[in-house]
Amino acid sequence: MYDVFVVGGGPSGATAALDLVNSGHKVALLDRDGRIKPCGGAIPPRLMQDFDIRDEQLVAKVNTARMISPTGRHVDIPIENGFVGMVDRKDFDPFLRARAAAAGATALTGTFLRIEREEGATFVVYREKATGEERRAQTRLVIGADGARSKVGRAEVPGGDKIPYVLAYHEIIKAPGKSEVYDPVRCDVIYDGDISPDFYGWIFPHGDSASVGMGTEVSSVDLKQATAALRDAAGLSDCETLRKEGAPIPLKPLDRWDNGKDVILAGDAAGVVAPSSGEGIYYAMVGGRVAATACAATLASGRVKDLRLARSLFMKEHKMVFRVLGSMQNAYYRSDERRERFVSLCHDIDVQRLTFEAYMNKKLVRARPMAHLKIGLKNLAHLSGLVAPTRV
């Protein structure tokens, strides 16, 4: 008998399990063995502080972001007074699961099948990997942290079967030496309709390796072919390919995260990936934390309405950031001409500073109102075509 059964052991599920164990609850954490999500792997200092992630988990520290336009123009944005940490999910996720297990969570390896209810009791049914047999565990609450195509969400939460998503694909390659086109301390973000007609491509350093990939919502795009074109354009075609991964990335937080009785969603299953940037690790871990908070409150009070706390706590802190980033994606990602203007806008020092202050601290910066006003006016000028794209 568990207080909470967590389905999915990525950053969200592992964080929820750890928080719940640390607050004195009996927790099971179910994960499929060998699952690695395609991910650039960037994590901000705020994540490292909030979730006690030490430097030894990082495979690289990035000090510059390069934004590349459809015509090949670029702007390098320095990360002032800090760095962005890079992790490799094949190592980072197991670390998070192991940390939760060491704290007291029961680690289970298998595949979620369904939830059954009998005479007021809730059971999670899963297929155990080691034996191939079905197992059934009784629990008071369930957290579905099983990704954008969440089986838990589709079966249990209204709207959980209608989450929009981008398909992402990347290849982990053996990193080349530093050159004019590759820098082991720089993240490259490529805004080019030939690579992705509605999102972007990326080249992110991972120490001895690098993540090269892209994402799109357009079903007709061949993700592997687009990634090959990206590697060719960046001079990375001859680098050894270490592994290939693909998965959906949600585009919008669900309107509801719980079923009103015993299930709550977290992370990608709840849709908490930032628009425009596609950043997911930090928001997944926050999603796991608020899900744990909501479960602890429900278990203490006996009120199932307390499950709603997860979404309300998350949106109170991050709703405005998601709204602004969503507006940016809708405005600039629709054509190469708009992408060209977006990269041009990134030359502005006010844009650079406020963008990275918001990224590093996960808050919209309000300290310089005149800078915000200037950015708003410049944004309108670029969108309306009153200014020509900056040439590099």
Side-chain angles (χ1 to χ4, degrees):
M1 174 66 179
Y2 296 101
D3 293 318
V4 183
F5 194 106
V6 183
V7 179
S12 185
T15 298
L18 178 64
D19 281 7
L20 284 163
V21 166
N22 286 340
S23 60
H25 296 92
K26 188 174 181 181
V27 180
L29 178 61
L30 175 69
D31 194 69
R32 291 183 293 139
D33 189 42
R35 173 199 53 81
I36 306 173
K37 181 183 175 182
C39 179
I43 61 173
R46 172 78 184 270
L47 181 151
M48 298 180 70
Q49 296 164 6
D50 289 357
F51 299 99
D52 192 25
I53 302 300
R54 309 295 175 83
D55 276 11
E56 51 262 34
Q57 295 303 319
L58 304 180
V59 292
K61 292 183 177 180
V62 167
N63 59 29
T64 306
R66 171 168 288 185
M67 321 296 277
I68 304 173
S69 79
T71 60
R73 299 176 178 138
H74 70 262
V75 54
D76 288 351
I77 305 176
I79 302 169
E80 298 179 351
N81 304 316
F83 63 89
V84 172
M86 306 300 296
V87 298
D88 192 319
R89 295 289 294 274
K90 78 174 178 62
D91 303 312
F92 187 62
D93 289 18
F95 158 76
L96 295 175
R97 289 193 290 272
R99 184 168 69 169
T106 300
L108 304 171
T109 302
T111 304
F112 169 81
L113 298 176
R114 61 189 177 275
I115 293 174
E116 296 179 346
R117 298 176 179 88
E118 295 177 5
E119 299 178 354
T122 300
F123 299 87
V124 173
V125 182
Y126 64 98
R127 189 175 304 283
E128 187 178 54
K129 181 176 181 181
T131 65
E133 297 178 355
E134 284 194 12
R135 303 291 186 187
R136 196 165 84 143
Q138 187 175 355
T139 185
R140 297 175 67 186
L141 297 173
V142 178
I143 294 178
D146 52 336
R149 290 172 174 164
S150 168
K151 289 184 179 179
V152 177
R154 289 202 301 270
E156 297 290 335
V157 177
D161 58 341
K162 297 180 175 64
I163 186 168
Y165 56 82
V166 161
L167 286 175
Y169 172 80
H170 79 160
E171 297 177 357
I172 298 294
I173 64 172
K174 187 173 182 180
K178 181 178 180 180
S179 67
E180 291 184 3
V181 295
Y182 180 80
D183 191 324
V185 293
R186 187 187 72 219
C187 284
D188 291 359
V189 183
I190 300 93
Y191 298 98
D192 185 346
D194 289 338
I195 301 299
S196 172
D198 58 339
F199 208 55
Y200 62 80
W202 70 81
I203 302 171
F204 286 2
H206 284 186
D208 293 336
S209 62
S211 166
V212 184
M214 51 77 66
T216 180
E217 194 180 1
V218 180
S219 60
S220 61
V221 174
D222 186 322
L223 279 70
K224 293 183 178 180
Q225 187 176 44
T227 301
L230 175 56
R231 287 182 61 172
D232 185 58
L236 301 174
S237 295
D238 294 334
C239 295
E240 180 185 355
T241 301
L242 304 178
R243 65 180 198 267
K244 303 176 181 181
E245 294 142 5
I249 297 176
L251 293 174
K252 181 182 177 182
L254 291 175
D255 293 333
R256 182 170 178 176
W257 294 4
D258 69 277
N259 69 347
K261 49 187 175 183
D262 55 6
V263 173
I264 187 168
L265 303 180
D268 281 11
V272 292
V273 171
S276 181
S277 69
E279 183 191 0
I281 300 177
Y282 172 77
Y283 293 111
M285 295 179 78
V286 172
R289 175 151 290 172
V290 296
T293 299
C295 285
T298 301
L299 291 169
S301 69
R303 298 188 303 260
V304 293
K305 70 177 183 179
D306 287 344
L307 290 175
R308 303 175 196 167
L309 280 171
R311 191 180 191 280
S312 63
L313 288 171
F314 184 94
M315 299 307 285
K316 180 179 180 181
E317 181 74 12
H318 302 291
K319 179 179 180 179
M320 187 56 66
V321 171
F322 273 51
R323 181 177 294 173
V324 170
L325 291 176
S327 297
M328 182 183 298
Q329 181 172 335
N330 290 334
Y332 284 109
Y333 286 18
R334 61 178 61 180
S335 69
D336 273 356
E337 191 272 336
R338 290 286 185 95
R339 295 184 188 95
E340 199 76 39
R341 293 185 177 278
F342 174 67
V343 173
S344 180
L345 181 64
C346 290
H347 281 271
D348 188 271
I349 191 66
D350 289 318
V351 172
Q352 294 180 15
R353 286 176 176 170
L354 290 181
T355 296
F356 270 100
E357 285 177 13
Y359 173 79
M360 304 287 262
N361 300 309
K362 291 295 168 244
K363 293 181 180 179
L364 290 178
V365 182
R366 307 180 189 280
R368 296 196 296 274
M370 287 307 297
H372 280 280
L373 177 60
K374 286 165 59 181
I375 289 172
L377 293 174
K378 292 170 185 174
N379 186 50
L380 287 173
H382 279 273
L383 283 173
S384 63
L386 292 176
V387 296
T390 302
R391 295 187 176 275
V392 181

mmCIF file of all heavy atoms in Angstrom, residues 107-139:
data_model
loop_
_atom_site.group_PDB
_atom_site.id
_atom_site.type_symbol
_atom_site.label_atom_id
_atom_site.label_comp_id
_atom_site.label_asym_id
_atom_site.label_seq_id
_atom_site.Cartn_x
_atom_site.Cartn_y
_atom_site.Cartn_z
ATOM 1 N N ALA A 107 11.770 1.788 -6.070
ATOM 2 C CA ALA A 107 12.012 1.887 -7.511
ATOM 3 C C ALA A 107 11.524 0.624 -8.204
ATOM 4 O O ALA A 107 11.926 -0.493 -7.845
ATOM 5 C CB ALA A 107 13.486 2.098 -7.787
ATOM 6 N N LEU A 108 10.651 0.781 -9.183
ATOM 7 C CA LEU A 108 10.101 -0.335 -9.948
ATOM 8 C C LEU A 108 10.420 -0.136 -11.421
ATOM 9 O O LEU A 108 10.368 0.992 -11.925
ATOM 10 C CB LEU A 108 8.583 -0.413 -9.764
ATOM 11 C CG LEU A 108 8.069 -0.532 -8.319
ATOM 12 C CD1 LEU A 108 6.553 -0.384 -8.299
ATOM 13 C CD2 LEU A 108 8.495 -1.853 -7.704
ATOM 14 N N THR A 109 10.745 -1.218 -12.108
ATOM 15 C CA THR A 109 11.039 -1.142 -13.540
ATOM 16 C C THR A 109 9.975 -1.927 -14.308
ATOM 17 O O THR A 109 9.803 -3.121 -14.097
ATOM 18 C CB THR A 109 12.424 -1.728 -13.857
ATOM 19 O OG1 THR A 109 13.417 -1.021 -13.095
ATOM 20 C CG2 THR A 109 12.741 -1.584 -15.334
ATOM 21 N N GLY A 110 9.267 -1.214 -15.153
ATOM 22 C CA GLY A 110 8.210 -1.857 -15.911
ATOM 23 C C GLY A 110 7.398 -0.853 -16.694
ATOM 24 O O GLY A 110 7.752 0.329 -16.768
ATOM 25 N N THR A 111 6.301 -1.309 -17.261
ATOM 26 C CA THR A 111 5.455 -0.488 -18.125
ATOM 27 C C THR A 111 4.064 -0.341 -17.526
ATOM 28 O O THR A 111 3.418 -1.351 -17.191
ATOM 29 C CB THR A 111 5.343 -1.128 -19.521
ATOM 30 O OG1 THR A 111 6.657 -1.318 -20.054
ATOM 31 C CG2 THR A 111 4.557 -0.234 -20.462
ATOM 32 N N PHE A 112 3.616 0.893 -17.404
ATOM 33 C CA PHE A 112 2.265 1.155 -16.894
ATOM 34 C C PHE A 112 1.222 0.592 -17.853
ATOM 35 O O PHE A 112 1.320 0.761 -19.071
ATOM 36 C CB PHE A 112 2.058 2.660 -16.725
ATOM 37 C CG PHE A 112 0.625 3.058 -16.457
ATOM 38 C CD1 PHE A 112 0.099 2.969 -15.179
ATOM 39 C CD2 PHE A 112 -0.189 3.505 -17.487
ATOM 40 C CE1 PHE A 112 -1.222 3.314 -14.930
ATOM 41 C CE2 PHE A 112 -1.503 3.868 -17.252
ATOM 42 C CZ PHE A 112 -2.024 3.768 -15.965
ATOM 43 N N LEU A 113 0.203 -0.079 -17.306
ATOM 44 C CA LEU A 113 -0.872 -0.633 -18.117
ATOM 45 C C LEU A 113 -2.196 0.088 -17.900
ATOM 46 O O LEU A 113 -2.820 0.547 -18.843
ATOM 47 C CB LEU A 113 -1.039 -2.125 -17.830
ATOM 48 C CG LEU A 113 0.168 -3.013 -18.167
ATOM 49 C CD1 LEU A 113 -0.084 -4.450 -17.746
ATOM 50 C CD2 LEU A 113 0.488 -2.938 -19.657
ATOM 51 N N ARG A 114 -2.621 0.208 -16.627
ATOM 52 C CA ARG A 114 -3.926 0.818 -16.366
ATOM 53 C C ARG A 114 -4.088 1.052 -14.864
ATOM 54 O O ARG A 114 -3.286 0.585 -14.055
ATOM 55 C CB ARG A 114 -5.046 -0.096 -16.861
ATOM 56 C CG ARG A 114 -5.081 -1.459 -16.197
ATOM 57 C CD ARG A 114 -6.056 -2.412 -16.875
ATOM 58 N NE ARG A 114 -6.013 -3.746 -16.258
ATOM 59 C CZ ARG A 114 -5.142 -4.691 -16.596
ATOM 60 N NH1 ARG A 114 -4.233 -4.441 -17.534
ATOM 61 N NH2 ARG A 114 -5.167 -5.865 -15.998
ATOM 62 N N ILE A 115 -5.156 1.769 -14.545
ATOM 63 C CA ILE A 115 -5.570 1.960 -13.159
ATOM 64 C C ILE A 115 -6.892 1.241 -12.948
ATOM 65 O O ILE A 115 -7.813 1.369 -13.774
ATOM 66 C CB ILE A 115 -5.701 3.461 -12.826
ATOM 67 C CG1 ILE A 115 -4.320 4.134 -12.865
ATOM 68 C CG2 ILE A 115 -6.342 3.667 -11.452
ATOM 69 C CD1 ILE A 115 -4.347 5.634 -12.691
ATOM 70 N N GLU A 116 -6.979 0.472 -11.881
ATOM 71 C CA GLU A 116 -8.209 -0.237 -11.536
ATOM 72 C C GLU A 116 -8.707 0.241 -10.180
ATOM 73 O O GLU A 116 -7.907 0.618 -9.314
ATOM 74 C CB GLU A 116 -7.959 -1.754 -11.488
ATOM 75 C CG GLU A 116 -7.564 -2.338 -12.829
ATOM 76 C CD GLU A 116 -7.286 -3.839 -12.753
ATOM 77 O OE1 GLU A 116 -7.141 -4.364 -11.617
ATOM 78 O OE2 GLU A 116 -7.206 -4.476 -13.825
ATOM 79 N N ARG A 117 -10.028 0.226 -10.017
ATOM 80 C CA ARG A 117 -10.622 0.647 -8.746
ATOM 81 C C ARG A 117 -11.626 -0.409 -8.291
ATOM 82 O O ARG A 117 -12.461 -0.840 -9.078
ATOM 83 C CB ARG A 117 -11.281 2.016 -8.888
ATOM 84 C CG ARG A 117 -10.294 3.124 -9.255
ATOM 85 C CD ARG A 117 -10.963 4.469 -9.488
ATOM 86 N NE ARG A 117 -9.973 5.488 -9.820
ATOM 87 C CZ ARG A 117 -9.552 5.755 -11.045
ATOM 88 N NH1 ARG A 117 -10.034 5.048 -12.072
ATOM 89 N NH2 ARG A 117 -8.651 6.689 -11.264
ATOM 90 N N GLU A 118 -11.517 -0.761 -7.016
ATOM 91 C CA GLU A 118 -12.416 -1.761 -6.440
ATOM 92 C C GLU A 118 -12.818 -1.334 -5.035
ATOM 93 O O GLU A 118 -11.950 -1.141 -4.175
ATOM 94 C CB GLU A 118 -11.730 -3.136 -6.379
ATOM 95 C CG GLU A 118 -11.408 -3.749 -7.719
ATOM 96 C CD GLU A 118 -10.678 -5.072 -7.583
ATOM 97 O OE1 GLU A 118 -10.515 -5.533 -6.421
ATOM 98 O OE2 GLU A 118 -10.262 -5.630 -8.614
ATOM 99 N N GLU A 119 -14.105 -1.164 -4.829
ATOM 100 C CA GLU A 119 -14.647 -0.848 -3.507
ATOM 101 C C GLU A 119 -13.907 0.325 -2.847
ATOM 102 O O GLU A 119 -13.519 0.267 -1.680
ATOM 103 C CB GLU A 119 -14.578 -2.082 -2.601
ATOM 104 C CG GLU A 119 -15.387 -3.260 -3.136
ATOM 105 C CD GLU A 119 -15.263 -4.483 -2.261
ATOM 106 O OE1 GLU A 119 -14.466 -4.444 -1.301
ATOM 107 O OE2 GLU A 119 -15.969 -5.473 -2.524
ATOM 108 N N GLY A 120 -13.698 1.373 -3.629
ATOM 109 C CA GLY A 120 -13.066 2.575 -3.106
ATOM 110 C C GLY A 120 -11.554 2.546 -3.067
ATOM 111 O O GLY A 120 -10.914 3.535 -2.695
ATOM 112 N N ALA A 121 -10.938 1.432 -3.444
ATOM 113 C CA ALA A 121 -9.479 1.321 -3.453
ATOM 114 C C ALA A 121 -8.937 1.520 -4.873
ATOM 115 O O ALA A 121 -9.573 1.121 -5.853
ATOM 116 C CB ALA A 121 -9.052 -0.032 -2.913
ATOM 117 N N THR A 122 -7.752 2.129 -4.965
ATOM 118 C CA THR A 122 -7.113 2.408 -6.255
ATOM 119 C C THR A 122 -5.890 1.509 -6.423
ATOM 120 O O THR A 122 -5.070 1.384 -5.501
ATOM 121 C CB THR A 122 -6.681 3.881 -6.341
ATOM 122 O OG1 THR A 122 -7.841 4.719 -6.195
ATOM 123 C CG2 THR A 122 -6.017 4.179 -7.675
ATOM 124 N N PHE A 123 -5.767 0.906 -7.617
ATOM 125 C CA PHE A 123 -4.641 0.022 -7.906
ATOM 126 C C PHE A 123 -3.989 0.436 -9.223
ATOM 127 O O PHE A 123 -4.681 0.720 -10.199
ATOM 128 C CB PHE A 123 -5.094 -1.436 -8.027
ATOM 129 C CG PHE A 123 -5.728 -1.992 -6.783
ATOM 130 C CD1 PHE A 123 -7.090 -1.822 -6.550
ATOM 131 C CD2 PHE A 123 -4.963 -2.664 -5.841
ATOM 132 C CE1 PHE A 123 -7.694 -2.334 -5.413
ATOM 133 C CE2 PHE A 123 -5.554 -3.175 -4.689
ATOM 134 C CZ PHE A 123 -6.917 -3.006 -4.470
ATOM 135 N N VAL A 124 -2.664 0.461 -9.245
ATOM 136 C CA VAL A 124 -1.917 0.664 -10.484
ATOM 137 C C VAL A 124 -1.471 -0.706 -10.980
ATOM 138 O O VAL A 124 -0.847 -1.476 -10.242
ATOM 139 C CB VAL A 124 -0.682 1.566 -10.275
ATOM 140 C CG1 VAL A 124 0.157 1.618 -11.554
ATOM 141 C CG2 VAL A 124 -1.105 2.970 -9.882
ATOM 142 N N VAL A 125 -1.794 -0.997 -12.227
ATOM 143 C CA VAL A 125 -1.399 -2.260 -12.838
ATOM 144 C C VAL A 125 -0.272 -1.975 -13.830
ATOM 145 O O VAL A 125 -0.391 -1.091 -14.678
ATOM 146 C CB VAL A 125 -2.588 -2.928 -13.559
ATOM 147 C CG1 VAL A 125 -2.162 -4.279 -14.155
ATOM 148 C CG2 VAL A 125 -3.765 -3.100 -12.606
ATOM 149 N N TYR A 126 0.824 -2.723 -13.698
ATOM 150 C CA TYR A 126 1.966 -2.517 -14.584
ATOM 151 C C TYR A 126 2.584 -3.868 -14.933
ATOM 152 O O TYR A 126 2.362 -4.865 -14.245
ATOM 153 C CB TYR A 126 3.012 -1.604 -13.927
ATOM 154 C CG TYR A 126 3.650 -2.171 -12.680
ATOM 155 C CD1 TYR A 126 4.893 -2.811 -12.721
ATOM 156 C CD2 TYR A 126 3.012 -2.075 -11.442
ATOM 157 C CE1 TYR A 126 5.476 -3.329 -11.576
ATOM 158 C CE2 TYR A 126 3.594 -2.584 -10.285
ATOM 159 C CZ TYR A 126 4.822 -3.209 -10.365
ATOM 160 O OH TYR A 126 5.410 -3.732 -9.223
ATOM 161 N N ARG A 127 3.338 -3.884 -16.024
ATOM 162 C CA ARG A 127 4.034 -5.093 -16.428
ATOM 163 C C ARG A 127 5.485 -5.002 -15.969
ATOM 164 O O ARG A 127 6.234 -4.126 -16.398
ATOM 165 C CB ARG A 127 3.973 -5.297 -17.943
ATOM 166 C CG ARG A 127 4.500 -6.683 -18.380
ATOM 167 C CD ARG A 127 4.318 -6.902 -19.881
ATOM 168 N NE ARG A 127 2.931 -6.737 -20.296
ATOM 169 C CZ ARG A 127 1.986 -7.644 -20.109
ATOM 170 N NH1 ARG A 127 2.260 -8.778 -19.480
ATOM 171 N NH2 ARG A 127 0.741 -7.417 -20.534
ATOM 172 N N GLU A 128 5.871 -5.900 -15.111
ATOM 173 C CA GLU A 128 7.228 -5.914 -14.576
ATOM 174 C C GLU A 128 8.215 -6.358 -15.653
ATOM 175 O O GLU A 128 7.994 -7.378 -16.325
ATOM 176 C CB GLU A 128 7.296 -6.864 -13.381
ATOM 177 C CG GLU A 128 8.611 -6.840 -12.644
ATOM 178 C CD GLU A 128 8.576 -7.765 -11.446
ATOM 179 O OE1 GLU A 128 8.254 -8.967 -11.640
ATOM 180 O OE2 GLU A 128 8.840 -7.310 -10.329
ATOM 181 N N LYS A 129 9.290 -5.599 -15.832
ATOM 182 C CA LYS A 129 10.214 -5.921 -16.920
ATOM 183 C C LYS A 129 10.943 -7.239 -16.687
ATOM 184 O O LYS A 129 11.103 -8.042 -17.604
ATOM 185 C CB LYS A 129 11.238 -4.798 -17.091
ATOM 186 C CG LYS A 129 12.195 -5.087 -18.241
ATOM 187 C CD LYS A 129 13.161 -3.994 -18.532
ATOM 188 C CE LYS A 129 14.045 -4.392 -19.713
ATOM 189 N NZ LYS A 129 15.035 -3.376 -20.057
ATOM 190 N N ALA A 130 11.377 -7.486 -15.461
ATOM 191 C CA ALA A 130 12.202 -8.662 -15.190
ATOM 192 C C ALA A 130 11.471 -9.968 -15.466
ATOM 193 O O ALA A 130 12.060 -10.936 -15.957
ATOM 194 C CB ALA A 130 12.692 -8.621 -13.746
ATOM 195 N N THR A 131 10.177 -10.023 -15.166
ATOM 196 C CA THR A 131 9.420 -11.268 -15.296
ATOM 197 C C THR A 131 8.424 -11.258 -16.449
ATOM 198 O O THR A 131 7.972 -12.315 -16.893
ATOM 199 C CB THR A 131 8.641 -11.545 -13.996
ATOM 200 O OG1 THR A 131 7.653 -10.512 -13.812
ATOM 201 C CG2 THR A 131 9.580 -11.580 -12.793
ATOM 202 N N GLY A 132 8.061 -10.060 -16.922
ATOM 203 C CA GLY A 132 7.040 -9.951 -17.958
ATOM 204 C C GLY A 132 5.634 -10.145 -17.429
ATOM 205 O O GLY A 132 4.668 -10.148 -18.196
ATOM 206 N N GLU A 133 5.501 -10.256 -16.122
ATOM 207 C CA GLU A 133 4.200 -10.510 -15.514
ATOM 208 C C GLU A 133 3.512 -9.217 -15.097
ATOM 209 O O GLU A 133 4.178 -8.214 -14.800
ATOM 210 C CB GLU A 133 4.364 -11.415 -14.287
ATOM 211 C CG GLU A 133 4.915 -12.793 -14.611
ATOM 212 C CD GLU A 133 5.101 -13.637 -13.359
ATOM 213 O OE1 GLU A 133 4.889 -13.100 -12.239
ATOM 214 O OE2 GLU A 133 5.474 -14.819 -13.490
ATOM 215 N N GLU A 134 2.181 -9.266 -15.062
ATOM 216 C CA GLU A 134 1.426 -8.119 -14.563
ATOM 217 C C GLU A 134 1.499 -8.072 -13.048
ATOM 218 O O GLU A 134 1.388 -9.087 -12.366
ATOM 219 C CB GLU A 134 -0.050 -8.210 -14.997
ATOM 220 C CG GLU A 134 -0.272 -7.855 -16.449
ATOM 221 C CD GLU A 134 -1.743 -7.625 -16.777
ATOM 222 O OE1 GLU A 134 -2.558 -7.525 -15.821
ATOM 223 O OE2 GLU A 134 -2.078 -7.551 -17.978
ATOM 224 N N ARG A 135 1.717 -6.853 -12.530
ATOM 225 C CA ARG A 135 1.726 -6.632 -11.094
ATOM 226 C C ARG A 135 0.676 -5.581 -10.765
ATOM 227 O O ARG A 135 0.326 -4.741 -11.587
ATOM 228 C CB ARG A 135 3.098 -6.143 -10.617
ATOM 229 C CG ARG A 135 4.253 -7.079 -10.954
ATOM 230 C CD ARG A 135 4.190 -8.359 -10.175
ATOM 231 N NE ARG A 135 5.380 -9.185 -10.395
ATOM 232 C CZ ARG A 135 5.516 -10.415 -9.935
ATOM 233 N NH1 ARG A 135 4.529 -10.965 -9.233
ATOM 234 N NH2 ARG A 135 6.609 -11.099 -10.184
ATOM 235 N N ARG A 136 0.186 -5.618 -9.532
ATOM 236 C CA ARG A 136 -0.823 -4.659 -9.118
ATOM 237 C C ARG A 136 -0.439 -4.100 -7.756
ATOM 238 O O ARG A 136 -0.160 -4.857 -6.822
ATOM 239 C CB ARG A 136 -2.192 -5.326 -9.055
ATOM 240 C CG ARG A 136 -3.338 -4.333 -9.017
ATOM 241 C CD ARG A 136 -4.659 -5.008 -9.327
ATOM 242 N NE ARG A 136 -5.246 -5.622 -8.139
ATOM 243 C CZ ARG A 136 -6.560 -5.642 -7.890
ATOM 244 N NH1 ARG A 136 -7.398 -5.100 -8.750
ATOM 245 N NH2 ARG A 136 -7.020 -6.217 -6.808
ATOM 246 N N ALA A 137 -0.401 -2.770 -7.666
ATOM 247 C CA ALA A 137 -0.022 -2.120 -6.410
ATOM 248 C C ALA A 137 -1.136 -1.183 -5.964
ATOM 249 O O ALA A 137 -1.629 -0.380 -6.763
ATOM 250 C CB ALA A 137 1.277 -1.333 -6.590
ATOM 251 N N GLN A 138 -1.509 -1.283 -4.709
ATOM 252 C CA GLN A 138 -2.542 -0.397 -4.174
ATOM 253 C C GLN A 138 -1.920 0.930 -3.757
ATOM 254 O O GLN A 138 -0.810 0.979 -3.219
ATOM 255 C CB GLN A 138 -3.236 -1.031 -2.968
ATOM 256 C CG GLN A 138 -4.439 -0.227 -2.480
ATOM 257 C CD GLN A 138 -5.198 -0.921 -1.367
ATOM 258 O OE1 GLN A 138 -4.882 -2.048 -1.005
ATOM 259 N NE2 GLN A 138 -6.202 -0.244 -0.831
ATOM 260 N N THR A 139 -2.628 2.014 -4.005
ATOM 261 C CA THR A 139 -2.125 3.347 -3.680
ATOM 262 C C THR A 139 -3.282 4.283 -3.379
ATOM 263 O O THR A 139 -4.421 4.043 -3.815
ATOM 264 C CB THR A 139 -1.279 3.902 -4.848
ATOM 265 O OG1 THR A 139 -0.701 5.157 -4.483
ATOM 266 C CG2 THR A 139 -2.131 4.105 -6.107
#
